[in-house]
Amino acid sequence: MIPASFQIRDLTIRPAAVLAPMAGVTDTLFRRVIRGLGGCGLLMTEFTSSEGVTRSAQKTLRYLFFQEDEHPITAQLFGANPAVMADAAKMVEDLGFDAVDINLGCPAKKVVKCGGSGLLRDLPLLENIFRSVRAAVKIPLTIKLRAGWDENSIVAVEVATLAESVGVEGIAVHPRTRTQGYSGAADWSIIAAVKQAVKIPVIGNGDINTPEDAARMVRETRCDAVMIGRAAATNPWIFAQMAQYASTGRYDTPSDADRHRLLSGYYREIKAANQPDSIGKMKQFACWFTHGVGNGSELRQKVHAAKTPSEVLESVERFFESRAAAGAGRSAVADNNAPEELRAARNEDLAHGPSQHARVETAVGT
């Protein structure tokens, strides 16, 4: 089963479940939804540009806003300049984050030129970044990496041992290569190999869609914790389900009423935040979340047709009211009427935007 907790130096994370950083998704509003549902031990920010942080760019710094009830929380940075990464990490520490993470996984073309998975091709530069950031901060330092650039350069174990040798204190492994993106199956054996190679905590990530998947990953890889990304956007209850499964061997699935409350409440928070990308964020979330809702395609169409956040909220209210009136109270997660649609949702690259309708202009992450 999923471990009850794990340690990154003096930082206790309980339970051993981590929300993956996803650009355009894991802002403070979404993180607090996850925290409120329970079962997630560690939150992570959207993947954030170190250059933007050190320039104090207003848009970039917005990604680092968090509330006190989000602790423990990690800020994830990307970049390729050791000095700039160090300065940005120090700013993260000064903002009160519990840890700082270096992104070595983003496969987006515009990111690999200045960090992300592109750094997996330059281990000497990577070592300089690790050393510079480690020297700059006192809080725990972690990394999130892919298996390698392509199938001919699987460097996860090499990077992990290098990171441990210079003071990195935790490693999250997404066992796909940069060229794979999010296609194909995640090779969990790479997570197991990293776990065998280092003594610091290893967090497994990739292809966890159910509590059973999480338990199987821990069993097969011996990882210290699991990290959930895309599945949390289609099913925000997954962390709570994992915790329930770990303690009882079973878990509840949300009803239509549960989904109505969560979607309506989350959208109201987005509307109240009054950010420039509010309508885009609502449409983006609808692309994923409604794949678990019976007749979700109808709701997606209504949301995408809306022109304002208020219209989105009205569409959500009318949709669920009509379903309740029709007596459609079955479990949303167990809805098997559109399995191909649900599989498509899980295969979308949530870190970089799932569709042209829901494109949100933010930094991109893993």
Side-chain angles (χ1 to χ4, degrees):
M1 285 294 183
I2 303 152
S5 66
F6 75 111
Q7 293 279 138
I8 299 179
R9 204 210 300 165
D10 55 349
L11 179 62
T12 301
I13 298 164
R14 181 180 294 111
V18 183
L19 176 65
M22 295 180 286
V25 182
T26 53
D27 62 3
T28 184
L29 299 181
F30 184 79
R31 294 192 306 259
R32 295 184 79 209
V33 166
I34 296 297
R35 180 68 86 211
L37 291 172
C40 182
L42 180 66
L43 301 175
M44 295 186 73
T45 68
E46 301 180 60
F47 143 109
T48 306
S49 165
S50 59
E51 296 282 351
V53 171
T54 55
R55 290 196 305 268
S56 297
Q58 184 176 0
K59 184 177 180 180
T60 301
L61 291 177
R62 177 159 58 92
Y63 303 142
L64 296 180
F65 176 79
F66 70 95
Q67 303 272 17
E68 283 303 306
D69 61 359
E70 295 183 56
H71 288 291
I73 181 170
T74 295
Q76 190 187 67
L77 300 173
F78 78 93
N81 183 312
V84 173
M85 287 287 285
D87 289 344
K90 185 63 173 69
M91 292 178 69
V92 161
E93 182 175 58
D94 292 343
L95 286 171
F97 283 93
D98 298 290
V100 61
D101 186 83
I102 298 174
N103 180 297
L104 305 176
C106 181
K109 290 182 179 179
K110 68 179 182 180
V111 174
V112 298
K113 298 176 183 178
C114 57
S117 58
L119 290 172
L120 298 176
R121 296 177 295 179
D122 191 342
L123 299 196
L125 173 58
L126 199 51
E127 180 176 356
N128 287 339
I129 291 173
F130 291 161
R131 291 187 184 279
S132 296
V133 175
R134 178 69 284 168
V137 297
K138 296 181 176 63
I139 57 176
L141 170 62
T142 63
I143 61 174
K144 183 175 187 289
L145 76 161
R146 281 183 174 251
W149 181 258
D150 57 30
E151 63 181 8
N152 297 315
S153 57
I154 304 298
V155 295
V157 170
E158 187 177 357
V159 172
T161 54
L162 168 64
E164 182 179 42
S165 71
V166 298
V168 172
E169 295 157 291
I171 301 170
V173 182
H174 181 112
R176 286 184 173 91
T177 64
R178 186 270 174 180
T179 55
Q180 275 185 282
Y182 289 88
S183 64
D187 184 357
W188 290 359
S189 69
I190 295 173
I191 300 173
V194 171
K195 175 59 183 173
Q196 290 178 344
V198 298
K199 294 182 174 60
I200 57 178
V202 173
I203 304 163
N205 174 230
D207 291 357
I208 298 178
N209 294 308
T210 66
E212 291 92 339
D213 291 336
R216 183 167 60 86
M217 176 181 278
V218 172
R219 183 172 66 250
E220 293 181 6
T221 71
R222 305 298 180 186
C223 61
D224 300 281
V226 295
M227 176 179 282
I228 311 293
R230 292 174 289 164
T234 55
N235 174 24
W237 290 270
I238 189 168
F239 291 102
Q241 291 171 336
M242 285 161 50
Q244 185 182 9
Y245 184 65
S247 62
T248 68
R250 57 172 298 277
Y251 57 92
D252 298 323
T253 55
S255 65
D256 269 13
D258 294 328
R259 286 189 168 267
H260 181 193
R261 281 192 295 271
L262 186 143
L263 188 58
S264 178
Y266 180 47
Y267 277 6
R268 289 179 190 283
E269 290 289 340
I270 293 174
K271 181 174 182 289
N274 196 31
Q275 295 177 351
D277 60 351
S278 292
I279 186 71
K281 191 175 287 290
M282 287 177 164
K283 292 181 179 183
Q284 180 191 50
F285 189 68
C287 281
W288 317 316
F289 182 82
T290 57
H291 282 281
V293 176
N295 203 23
S297 60
E298 177 187 340
L299 179 55
R300 284 192 294 283
Q301 291 170 2
K302 291 180 181 298
V303 169
H304 288 312
K307 299 294 191 297
T308 67
S310 294
E311 289 180 17
V312 172
L313 278 167
E314 290 171 7
S315 297
V316 169
E317 297 304 319
R318 287 197 300 267
F319 174 84
F320 281 103
E321 285 171 5
S322 66
R323 281 183 61 77
R330 59 185 173 160
S331 165
V333 171
D335 181 10
N336 293 317
N337 284 346
E340 291 184 5
E341 200 170 51
L342 181 56
R343 286 196 296 272
R346 288 173 175 168
N347 287 331
E348 286 169 347
D349 180 355
L350 271 65
H352 307 112
S355 76
Q356 60 182 350
H357 302 291
R359 174 66 72 188
V360 177
E361 295 300 327
T362 68
V364 285
T366 58

